[in-house]
Amino acid sequence: MEEVDGDVTKTSWIGSTLFGTYTLLGPIAGIVQHRFGARLTAMTGGLLMLLGMLVASFCQTVISLLLTYGFVAGVGLGLGGNVIGVIPGQYFRKRRPAAYGICMTGSGAGLFVGGPLCQYLLHHYNLHGTFLIMGGIGFNMCVAGALLRPVNPDRPYQLDDEQEQERVVVKTVQTDDIVDMSKSDETSLSLVNEAHTRHMQAIDSSKDQPQVTTQFEESTSLNETKHIRKMICFNWPLFRKTFHIFGQFPFVVYSLSIMLWSLGEAAWVFHLPNYAEYKGRSPSEAASLLTAMGAGSMFSRVFAGIAASDSNIDAVLLQVGLSGLAGTVSFLFTVGSSSYMSQLAFSYFYATYSQGINTLIGPIIINLLGLPHVAVAYGIVCFFCGLGHLLGPPITSTLYKGSGIYEYTYVFAGACLVLGSIATALTNIGRLNTSTQEI
């Protein structure tokens, strides 16, 4: 606002475009990672981060910053963000939510350090020098990506403990035969081969006969697994998998709840420093509020992961509570933030409740759809999250310009967070209905 354009609405579009691009391109990032792997995806993201920030350091207009800092660097962030949301699920089988929580603390640590760091860089190097230095920091994503261990191609997805305990069956619709695959003796293997032979003969005998379908939930041998996987990849491309995911009602409702949460989250984070200055705080004091949020964020992300690792705690219900409490804090912030210390306290407690949701997204997606769909599904959720990040700051800026009352920003944020909590609760209702229909 001091160096490029003083209009709060125009400048809010720059930051919202960055995070909007980062999340709106989630489905594309998911497809890229599914096709090329996490290592190459993360390294490409680091390269785009450097390129976007480097060119932005020479820009003098809002439009050029939208294209460079907002779009190019946003694409780089999107590629790296999708890797963060998928890799813990592929690496860990036990305590997976806790692994997500520890991994997601990186974002909280960045928020904790980022406020004072950016304030220091802006003071000494101005906006364009800060862009250049931040691009160099983001380029280190290439180093982090190079250290990622590739997932075993023979078994790209590990099963959960509950899935490993389930018995795998082969169902033949025409004869209603059920073959138990949980045993590994020769008798069960021969029955599987007989069922498969009958299936192939039924298809070749006559086109008028009803088609027999066989579903393998786990292959009996490594070679057969590879062959079936290749056939599935050939017959069911990624866009059909994406279409199938959108047909799952609980997942669609959960995606909408994430969009509502991100609307409130974006309004909080983007407007907090300017709101603090509006209330009489200095720029350094305003930046320290982000540091307080970072401290609460790190605690929240780890705590949410550890709590969700307990089999007696439902991750969906945990998110319902966190989002509802964050909305309540946002409402109270409008009447209790007159002093600097109260602003620090509200910033800390808001992040303590809201930021843990970042940890829960990955485990909830895995519970809703299964691990093989997590790369594409996480990208879809990021798309809905991006809608919120893209629209939240401009909407609240318009509210402020039209009314002259900055507190409406946090009333809007609180309403979105509470509605997001309600939508998350509806996810469990959809899961119950789906389970009842399957039974």
Side-chain angles (χ1 to χ4, degrees):
M1 293 179 64
E2 294 177 359
E3 298 185 36
V4 179
D5 195 313
D7 187 272
V8 64
T9 302
K10 291 182 180 179
T11 52
S12 66
W13 273 107
I14 300 174
S16 62
T17 300
L18 172 72
F19 283 93
T21 303
Y22 155 45
T23 45
L24 282 172
L25 295 181
I28 297 177
I31 293 174
V32 170
Q33 183 176 349
H34 187 88
R35 176 65 180 85
F36 299 103
R39 175 180 291 177
L40 184 59
T41 302
M43 295 179 70
T44 304
L47 184 62
L48 290 175
M49 280 283 292
L50 175 64
L51 179 63
M53 295 287 193
L54 176 63
V55 180
S57 65
F58 297 98
C59 296
Q60 300 293 336
T61 63
V62 171
I63 297 298
S64 58
L65 287 175
L66 286 172
L67 295 175
T68 55
Y69 174 81
F71 182 74
V72 178
V75 172
L77 274 176
L79 294 176
N82 202 81
V83 172
I84 296 171
V86 174
I87 278 294
Q90 295 180 345
Y91 279 1
F92 294 91
R93 181 176 57 189
K94 297 180 179 179
R95 299 288 183 180
R96 181 179 289 146
Y100 267 102
I102 295 173
C103 185
M104 291 295 179
T105 54
S107 298
L111 189 62
F112 181 78
V113 178
L117 175 62
C118 287
Q119 187 66 32
Y120 174 83
L121 294 177
L122 287 170
H123 179 72
H124 287 83
Y125 302 101
N126 297 323
L127 177 65
H128 298 88
T130 301
F131 279 145
L132 187 61
I133 295 174
M134 295 302 290
I137 295 175
F139 189 52
N140 284 275
M141 194 188 304
C142 293
V143 179
L147 297 176
L148 292 176
R149 176 178 60 86
V151 180
N152 185 356
D154 293 332
R155 191 182 183 187
Y157 300 106
Q158 296 185 13
L159 297 175
D160 295 332
D161 293 335
E162 296 180 357
Q163 291 174 319
E164 287 185 340
Q165 295 173 1
E166 293 178 356
R167 297 192 309 171
V168 183
V169 297
V170 179
K171 296 181 179 180
T172 306
V173 176
Q174 185 177 10
T175 60
D176 292 329
D177 291 339
I178 298 180
V179 181
D180 193 343
M181 291 281 294
S182 62
K183 301 178 181 179
S184 59
D185 54 14
E186 296 180 357
T187 302
S188 61
L189 292 177
S190 62
L191 290 175
V192 173
N193 292 331
E194 290 178 6
H196 183 67
T197 301
R198 292 197 303 270
H199 166 64
M200 298 304 295
Q201 290 176 350
I203 295 177
D204 296 335
S205 60
S206 175
K207 294 183 180 180
D208 296 331
Q209 296 292 331
Q211 189 175 12
V212 181
T213 59
T214 304
Q215 179 182 3
F216 286 92
E217 292 184 8
E218 183 173 349
S219 179
T220 59
S221 66
L222 183 60
N223 292 333
E224 188 175 357
T225 303
K226 291 181 179 179
H227 177 68
I228 292 177
R229 191 174 295 147
K230 290 180 181 179
M231 292 181 63
I232 293 175
C233 292
F234 177 78
N235 294 325
W236 298 93
L238 284 175
F239 74 90
R240 297 193 66 180
K241 179 186 289 188
T242 304
F243 180 79
H244 170 73
I245 290 174
F246 272 116
Q248 305 298 317
F249 176 75
F251 175 75
V252 174
V253 175
Y254 181 70
S255 298
L256 293 176
S257 72
I258 291 297
M259 184 186 71
L260 291 169
W261 165 72
S262 64
L263 273 171
E265 179 77 4
W268 245 93
V269 175
F270 283 116
H271 285 276
L272 182 61
N274 204 41
Y275 177 74
E277 293 186 31
Y278 166 82
K279 299 290 285 187
R281 306 279 77 83
S282 66
S284 60
E285 288 177 333
S288 65
L289 299 182
L290 295 177
T291 302
M293 285 191 62
S297 176
M298 288 190 291
F299 171 79
S300 179
R301 291 167 191 252
V302 175
F303 174 78
I306 295 175
S309 296
D310 190 337
S311 59
N312 296 319
I313 298 178
D314 185 11
V316 173
L317 292 179
L318 183 60
Q319 180 169 327
V320 170
L322 290 176
S323 183
L325 288 171
T328 302
V329 171
S330 185
F331 287 131
L332 295 176
F333 184 62
T334 59
V335 295
S337 60
S338 57
S339 67
Y340 173 62
M341 295 304 298
S342 64
Q343 291 172 4
L344 278 176
F346 273 108
S347 299
Y348 175 82
F349 284 111
Y350 170 78
T352 299
Y353 295 125
S354 69
Q355 296 292 301
I357 295 175
N358 292 280
T359 298
L360 301 176
I361 292 176
I364 290 177
I365 290 175
I366 294 174
N367 291 337
L368 291 177
L369 300 175
L371 192 55
H373 300 282
V374 66
V376 177
Y378 192 88
I380 294 173
V381 171
C382 283
F383 174 83
F384 282 90
C385 187
L387 291 177
H389 278 103
L390 185 66
L391 298 177
I395 289 176
T396 49
S397 296
T398 303
L399 286 175
Y400 169 56
K401 290 184 65 176
S403 64
I405 302 175
Y406 222 145
E407 283 74 12
Y408 286 171
T409 296
Y410 293 93
V411 173
F412 173 81
C416 290
L417 290 165
V418 171
L419 290 175
S421 176
I422 297 173
T424 306
L426 295 177
T427 301
N428 259 354
I429 297 177
R431 290 168 63 189
L432 292 175
N433 292 337
T434 303
S435 301
T436 304
Q437 293 175 1
E438 291 177 353
I439 293 174

